[in-house]
Structures are given as structure tokens and as C-alpha cells.
Amino acid sequence: MNILFLLLDYSKNKNHMGLYKELVYEFRDQGHEVYVATATEKKWGLETTLNKEDGINVLRLKTGNMFEVGFIEKGITNLTLGSIFKKEISREFSNVKFDLVIHHTPPITFTPVIDYLKKKYKTKSYLILRDIFPQNAKDLGIIKNPILFEFFRQKERKLYGKSDYIGCMSEGNINFLRKHNPEVSEDKVHILRNWGKIKNKPIIDKKIIREKYGFKELDFITIFGGNMGKPQGLEFLMKLAKEYKYKENIKFLMVGKGNEKKRLEEIVEKQKLSNVIFLNFIPREDYEKLTAACDLGIVSLHSCFTIPNIPSKTIDYCKLGLPILACTDRNTDYPEILENEAKCGLSSIYGDLKTYKINFEELLNNKELRESLGENGREYYEEKLGVDIAYETIMNEIKKY
């Protein structure tokens, strides 16, 4: 089959895979002819290019800026994506009859190119539903104008209408989608879990790695890795860290960046939380080794969300056999997955510091429990979260019709 992926990001670095690149490679390895159309922000000063990269036809399209820019500029760029992708794909891939186009949210504005492919080639369209926009932006207070919200809702509905298949992260996602979009047929929606390439756990010398980053062998290290933005609500994690500011061997390690990082650093400085340590971006291989040398992984979802979110960082923690401490909003079914399906962590409601601390204490003081949860997570990763399983899920749905 000729498969076209529409992606916002597709790294040129062979060592930087990421969720969607792993899926692209899996389709390639399964014998398909794979094409990728991806955005290149104009701030990098690069023009549109088409090249073969690791056996994959990659079209890098010059677009407006989307990341680390204001909401208005980001919004304008997103609104133009569909027309830009349609123009360049129709020109560069004019002789390719695509059997399947795979796209994701965000954005919700690929509809013009999807409509073009469906009309010209009867191409089937598969939507990987991750962020539910614009509701997530409304929850976060980014979109406050009801007219603007309804404008994007119309685009969201059109996208669902043009999608032949919709892969959702959980039953909660499916229920939310169908409740708020009853016109979406039950037949087209199904579960597509987050995925990762199945790899062996890295063999590490925990003592050496800890020393490299300034930690002691007997420190209890809780790690958060990833985006530090408003959706994560990490100021609540700082409240937990404050409870242990005088416990010298209990550390909270924050790895990554995001628009809330500076504010978090200010909180740490103001409250003199010497047990909270920030690290900027580190290479993927180093990050995995560092995470494997920690004792506990953090998942945090702000209480403002009305949509069910399933954090993809769970994959890393499960892959590395790290137990998870989570705090989430009341609307996600992530705690059900964490505690009862994967059985790899403990969860509480965001804002409930008492229960958050009780769960932390239980994991802090019970090494046997940590090891058991970590082993469960690794087993869940191998059985449910492989990219090969994601591939099979997509192909099985397509073969039904």
C-alpha cells in the first residue's frame, strides 16, 4: 500500500524517533511504500524539500511558525496548514495513488488535503486522536471567546466527518468523542493505545549515573520528564516537594522545558526547595539511563481538564520498569488504566495533597511494592504498547471495510 502520513513534526535526526516516527518506520518495515508530509517552520529559513530518508519519501513543507510563538500566530499557521499541504502534496506527489492517509490531532485543519485525496484517489483516512481541540484549549483558558470556540468546533466536526477511522487512546476518549459528536458513527471509533518501539531495558550502573548528575546512591529520586506547561499543572508537584524540603535524601528531578518552567523555578527559589533539581534537554539515550536510575516517575494532569487525557510519558516509565505516581483531573480514565489495567502505579485527584502524599509515602517506604509495580509496567509495555501492536490495530480496522 501507498501510505501518506501528515505530521507536524518529523525529526531529521536518526536517533530522535518519537511516537509518530516509530509508526512510520513500522509501516516501512512491514513492506509498505511510505510517504511523509511534515511542517518546517519559516523561522528556520528553509524552503520546501523532498528527499528519501531511510527509505521513506519525506516532503518537508515550509509553513508558518507554530511552536514557542503567540496564540494568534500559532492559530493563523494552523489555519493555513491544510491548504499548504494540499498544494505541495498535489504538486510533489501528483503521480502517487495513495491508499491510506494517516493524520493526528493536533491540528484539526488538515481537512482540505484529506478531502482532495479522497476525491482524487478514494483514499481512506485514519485519524489518530490525541488532543481533543478546541475543548482542551477552552479548558486551559486559551480560548475564551464562544464565537472562536464554535469556529474551531466546526472544523473539528468536519475532520471527524472526513475520517473513515478514528483511533482513540482509551474508552474515556471514545465516550467523550461520541457524547459530544453523536454524528460520529460508532463503527469508525476504536482504541489505539499510545505506543513505543519495544526495546530491552538499558543496562546501567545506577551509582555512576547518579553521581554524574550530582545524586547520592541512597537518594530517593522522583523524576518528571517532558513538557512543563499548564496542562501538567506542576505547581502541585512543588507542593508535594515542599512537604519533604528538609528530607535531604528525597529529591525531585525535573527534566525538560516548557512555558511554565520559569515560573516553577521561581517557586522553587522563593520557597527554598533545594530538593527540586531542574535539568534542560538531554539526549534521548542519556535521558532513559537517567530515568532508569530513578525510583519513581511522575504523571501530572491539571484539574481544569474536562476531556480524558492519557499521557504518553507513561510509555517511558513502563519501558524502564519505573513505578508511577500520578495526580489527574476527575474526568480522565487514566487512573483506571494505571491502577487496574496496567497495575503499575498509584493515582490521586489533582489538588488532593493529603492522598498525593499518602501514595508517595507508600511508594517511598515500600521497595517491594515499587518493584512489583515496575515489573507490571514493563509487562504491560511489552504486551500492549508496542508499535507493532499499533500497526496491527490500524491495519485490522482498515481490513474490516
Side-chain angles (χ1 to χ4, degrees):
M1 294 175 68
N2 288 325
I3 313 289
L4 174 63
F5 284 83
L6 307 178
L7 305 176
L8 285 188
D9 180 58
Y10 188 81
S11 176
K12 290 183 178 180
N13 188 335
K14 292 183 179 181
N15 297 319
H16 185 199
M17 294 300 290
L19 201 69
Y20 297 110
K21 194 171 183 180
E22 286 180 333
L23 188 61
V24 167
Y25 275 47
E26 184 67 21
F27 270 86
R28 179 203 63 185
D29 294 345
Q30 293 290 342
H32 300 281
E33 188 65 24
V34 181
Y35 299 76
V36 170
T38 187
T40 298
E41 296 174 278
K42 65 181 181 181
K43 64 186 176 185
W44 304 120
L46 301 173
E47 297 300 319
T48 295
T49 60
L50 173 61
N51 292 295
K52 201 88 166 179
E53 301 178 16
D54 280 352
I56 296 157
N57 308 281
V58 182
L59 177 62
R60 298 187 180 276
L61 307 166
K62 183 180 179 180
T63 68
N65 298 319
M66 289 177 285
F67 302 107
E68 297 179 359
V69 295
F71 175 71
I72 294 176
E73 183 177 1
K74 184 174 185 175
I76 292 172
T77 297
N78 272 274
L79 289 172
T80 61
L81 286 176
S83 57
I84 292 173
F85 272 60
K86 175 186 173 182
K87 176 184 175 182
E88 296 298 336
I89 287 170
S90 63
R91 183 174 66 182
E92 298 292 347
F93 297 147
S94 59
N95 296 321
V96 183
K97 182 182 182 301
F98 290 110
D99 301 294
L100 177 67
V101 56
I102 298 176
H103 49 107
H104 59 75
T105 55
I108 58 170
T109 51
F110 278 144
T111 307
V113 64
I114 294 166
D115 197 32
Y116 160 77
L117 293 169
K118 290 176 76 71
K119 287 178 179 178
K120 185 172 183 179
Y121 301 120
K122 293 184 170 50
T123 305
K124 292 295 183 180
S125 168
Y126 189 103
L127 171 62
I128 300 173
L129 187 66
R130 287 299 175 259
D131 290 346
I132 298 180
F133 181 89
Q135 185 60 49
N136 61 345
K138 182 179 179 180
D139 290 345
L140 291 167
I142 297 171
I143 294 181
K144 299 178 181 179
N145 186 310
I147 297 174
L148 184 61
F149 176 78
E150 186 55 34
F151 170 77
F152 282 114
R153 272 289 281 148
Q154 290 297 326
K155 291 192 174 297
E156 180 192 13
R157 292 188 186 102
K158 285 183 180 179
L159 181 66
Y160 297 154
K162 294 296 180 182
S163 301
D164 299 294
Y165 319 93
I166 303 177
C168 302
M169 293 183 289
S170 70
E171 286 290 349
N173 271 182
I174 291 176
N175 294 336
F176 184 94
L177 174 67
R178 299 214 60 242
K179 177 181 178 181
H180 295 276
N181 304 276
E183 70 280 4
V184 174
S185 168
E186 184 178 2
D187 294 337
K188 71 163 64 175
V189 296
H190 55 274
I191 290 179
L192 176 70
R193 294 182 180 88
N194 287 323
W195 62 84
K197 184 73 173 177
I198 300 298
K199 299 177 182 177
N200 294 327
K201 289 172 64 174
I203 299 173
I204 63 168
D205 186 319
K206 186 176 288 191
K207 181 181 178 181
I208 290 176
I209 290 177
R210 286 179 170 225
E211 287 177 351
K212 176 181 178 181
Y213 294 97
F215 297 106
K216 297 176 182 177
E217 186 177 4
L218 296 180
D219 283 344
F220 185 87
I221 307 173
T222 298
I223 185 170
F224 174 88
N227 181 49
M228 301 180 199
K230 187 172 181 181
Q232 289 72 40
L234 292 168
E235 64 272 17
F236 185 54
L237 178 60
M238 298 302 100
K239 291 184 178 181
L240 180 66
K242 186 179 179 180
E243 296 288 308
Y244 299 93
K245 66 183 294 184
Y246 299 115
K247 300 281 187 178
E248 291 187 3
N249 69 315
I250 298 177
K251 308 294 184 182
F252 293 84
L253 175 59
M254 315 289 288
V255 183
K257 57 183 181 179
N259 55 23
E260 289 288 296
K261 184 176 181 179
K262 183 177 179 181
R263 190 168 74 88
L264 293 171
E265 289 174 329
E266 290 171 352
I267 291 172
V268 167
E269 183 178 0
K270 183 178 180 181
Q271 298 184 2
K272 296 181 171 58
L273 302 180
S274 59
N275 58 340
V276 179
I277 298 94
F278 289 91
L279 286 179
N280 289 320
F281 172 83
I282 58 177
R284 180 71 186 176
E285 184 178 350
D286 292 343
Y287 169 73
E288 290 194 354
K289 289 180 179 178
L290 174 58
T291 303
C294 294
D295 299 288
L296 188 61
I298 289 290
V299 165
S300 182
L301 290 172
H302 199 287
S303 60
C304 68
F305 283 115
T306 61
I307 55 177
N309 289 297
I310 308 296
S312 59
K313 66 171 51 63
T314 304
I315 299 171
D316 282 335
Y317 296 149
C318 288
K319 174 169 61 179
L320 299 167
L322 205 64
I324 296 171
L325 176 69
C327 64
T328 72
D329 59 88
R330 296 180 181 274
N331 297 298
T332 180
D333 52 343
Y334 180 76
E336 170 67 22
I337 295 170
L338 181 73
E339 295 185 339
N340 299 323
E341 185 177 321
K343 296 182 173 65
C344 62
L346 301 179
S347 183
S348 60
I349 297 298
Y350 185 99
D352 180 0
L353 183 59
K354 180 180 178 181
T355 308
Y356 200 24
K357 186 177 179 181
I358 288 172
N359 287 346
F360 181 79
E361 288 279 348
E362 188 170 359
L363 292 165
L364 170 68
N365 297 317
N366 193 333
K367 183 179 180 181
E368 185 176 328
L369 175 62
R370 294 199 307 271
E371 290 176 348
S372 175
L373 294 174
E375 289 169 3
N376 291 344
R378 177 68 197 192
E379 185 176 327
Y380 185 73
Y381 161 75
E382 292 179 356
E383 292 182 358
K384 303 286 188 180
L385 304 181
V387 68
D388 57 322
I389 296 172
Y391 168 82
E392 290 171 5
T393 300
I394 293 171
M395 295 305 296
N396 287 339
E397 290 297 323
I398 293 167
K399 290 173 183 176
K400 286 182 180 179
Y401 306 100

